Amino acid sequence: MHITNSILQSPCITNSPRKSSSRAFRHHCRFLKRRNTRISASRISSQLTQEQDPLFDVSSTVVNPAFRVKIDSTHTDGSDKTRTTLRILFVSESGVCRGPLAAAAFAAAAEKHGLALLRGTGDAAIECSAAASRDYCVNEPPEASAYLAAECLGWTLPQDCRSRCFLPSADLAKNDLILVMDKFIAADVLREASVFDTIYLEAGFSGKVRNLGEFHSSATGNSSTNSNTPSSKTSVSGADNKVFEINDPLYGNVGGEEEEDTVYKSALDIQQCCNGLVEFLISLNSANSDNENGTSLRAAVDNWLQNAEGVEWMRPPLLSPR
C-alpha cells in the first residue's frame, strides 16, 4: 500500500503517455502559432515598406502636445514703458482686404490732419499695421478689388504688402490699440487675450481690443468725432440698434463688378471710421497739450482704454463677473 501510494504520487506515473503527448501537441501548436504570427508581422512590415498601405498608417493617431506660450519678454521687461510711439493694429479675418484698407485709410487721414505717422517724431508719433485673425491667406497680397478701392480713394497700399497672422504673444503686448472689424474677429482676438489676462493679471490685454466701428459717424452721432470719447453703447447702425460693424465684403462674393462694388462700399465705411479715429486722437492729443503734466499720445490712449466702457459683445467670457 505504501509502495502503491508512492508510485501513484510519482510525476512520471501520473502523467500518462496520452497526457504527455497531448501536452506536447499543444506546445507545438502554440509554437507554430507564434511562428506564423511573427512571419505574418514580418510580411506586413515588408509590405508596408514597399506599398505604404494607408490602412496601417497610424501617424494621424499621434497627439501633438500643447505648449504654453508666454508673452514676448521684449515688451514686458520694462524697457517698452519709455516708448512714446502709439502702435495701432487693425485686425481683419484674412488680412487681404479690410485690414490693409484700414491701415491705408488711417495713414491717409493722419497725414491729412498733420499727425506724425511712422516717423517717430515727437510725442504724437503713430505706427499702424494690419494682421489677420485666421491663416487663410498668409503671405498673400491684398485682393485686386482692395487695390482698386484704395486707388479710387487716393490711398496707398504698398506693393510688398502681405497678409500675416495675428500673433497673440507678441501683438497683444507690442500694440497699444487693437481694432477689430466685427464680432467674429473680436471673438478670435479676445479668446487669446483673455487667456493671457488670466496669467498676467495686471496686463489688461483684453482692454486694448476695441471695435473700429465705434469711431463711425453713426456711432458718435456726428459727422466727426468731438472731444468726448466714443460711447460704445450708442454705437448703432440704422434703426436696428446693433453695434456698427464692418462686414467682410469678400464673403459670398465670386469676383467681378459685384465684388468691386461691395469692397468699395466697405472701404467707404472704413474711411469714415478712420477719419473719426484720427479726429478722436487729435482731441486726446490736444487735451494732453493743455495739461500741465502733458503725457504722450500713447499714455493718453492707454488712460482712455482703462476708463472706456466696454462693448457688451466684446466682453471676454473668462473675465466676466460670475
Side-chain angles (χ1 to χ4, degrees):
M1 187 66 178
H2 176 71
I3 297 176
T4 303
N5 286 341
S6 62
I7 294 176
L8 289 177
Q9 291 174 2
S10 172
C12 295
I13 300 298
T14 54
N15 295 331
S16 63
R18 178 176 295 182
K19 288 185 178 181
S20 298
S21 61
S22 177
R23 176 177 294 178
F25 178 74
R26 288 197 300 271
H27 279 296
H28 182 64
C29 289
R30 291 169 184 163
F31 169 76
L32 290 178
K33 186 176 181 180
R34 288 195 297 269
R35 178 175 177 273
N36 291 336
T37 301
R38 288 195 297 269
I39 293 175
S40 299
S42 177
R43 289 174 179 172
I44 291 173
S45 177
S46 176
Q47 184 178 1
L48 283 177
T49 302
Q50 297 176 1
E51 302 180 6
Q52 294 297 324
D53 191 338
L55 293 177
F56 296 94
D57 182 12
V58 297
S59 60
S60 61
T61 64
V62 179
V63 179
N64 292 326
F67 296 96
R68 296 187 181 275
V69 181
K70 294 183 178 180
I71 286 292
D72 189 348
S73 60
T74 57
H75 304 291
T76 57
D77 59 2
S79 60
D80 197 49
K81 293 182 179 180
T82 59
R83 172 175 56 85
T84 58
T85 302
L86 173 66
R87 290 173 178 163
I88 300 176
L89 180 66
F90 298 95
V91 185
S92 58
E93 185 171 358
S94 60
V96 294
C97 186
R98 291 174 293 174
L101 285 176
F106 179 79
E111 183 177 355
K112 178 181 177 181
H113 289 81
L115 278 180
L117 184 71
L118 301 175
R119 292 190 291 269
T121 56
D123 290 341
I126 304 173
E127 294 179 5
C128 69
S129 58
S133 64
R134 299 299 177 102
D135 59 356
Y136 306 146
C137 307
V138 171
N139 292 327
E140 293 185 13
E143 291 288 333
S145 54
Y147 272 110
L148 181 60
E151 182 180 358
C152 292
L153 294 170
W155 306 338
T156 301
L157 282 179
Q159 293 298 322
D160 59 350
C161 179
R162 292 292 185 272
S163 172
R164 75 166 182 87
C165 243
F166 175 75
L167 184 60
S169 60
D171 286 327
L172 287 172
K174 175 183 177 181
N175 295 283
D176 306 298
L177 181 60
I178 302 174
L179 297 171
V180 299
M181 305 294 158
D182 57 42
K183 63 171 64 71
F184 303 105
I185 302 167
D188 289 336
V189 176
L190 287 172
R191 180 176 61 247
E192 303 294 339
S194 59
V195 169
F196 279 113
D197 276 340
T198 60
I199 301 173
Y200 302 89
L201 300 179
E202 303 299 326
F205 296 124
S206 298
K208 296 181 178 183
V209 184
R210 305 296 297 189
N211 176 25
L212 180 59
E214 293 180 59
F215 300 94
H216 193 274
S217 58
S218 65
T220 59
N222 302 309
S223 58
S224 62
T225 307
N226 54 29
S227 59
N228 296 324
T229 60
S231 175
S232 302
K233 294 186 177 180
T234 60
S235 299
V236 298
S237 177
D240 295 330
N241 288 333
K242 294 181 179 179
V243 175
F244 187 87
E245 298 179 273
I246 302 172
N247 295 319
D248 189 354
L250 300 179
Y251 185 79
N253 288 314
V254 293
E257 294 184 1
E258 180 182 353
E259 179 178 306
E260 293 175 357
D261 292 341
T262 307
V263 171
Y264 181 75
K265 293 177 181 178
S266 180
L268 291 177
D269 285 335
I270 291 173
Q271 184 181 46
Q272 286 200 45
C273 293
C274 288
N275 286 340
L277 172 61
V278 167
E279 293 176 6
F280 170 65
L281 293 177
I282 290 175
S283 69
L284 281 182
N285 200 42
S286 298
N288 280 335
S289 301
D290 297 337
N291 191 345
E292 294 181 357
N293 299 320
T295 57
S296 66
L297 180 58
R298 178 199 178 193
V301 170
D302 182 63
N303 182 64
W304 168 68
L305 289 173
Q306 292 180 14
N307 296 286
E309 294 182 0
V311 181
E312 188 64 28
W313 55 258
M314 290 182 67
R315 181 174 299 169
L318 287 176
L319 303 178
S320 298
R322 290 177 174 82

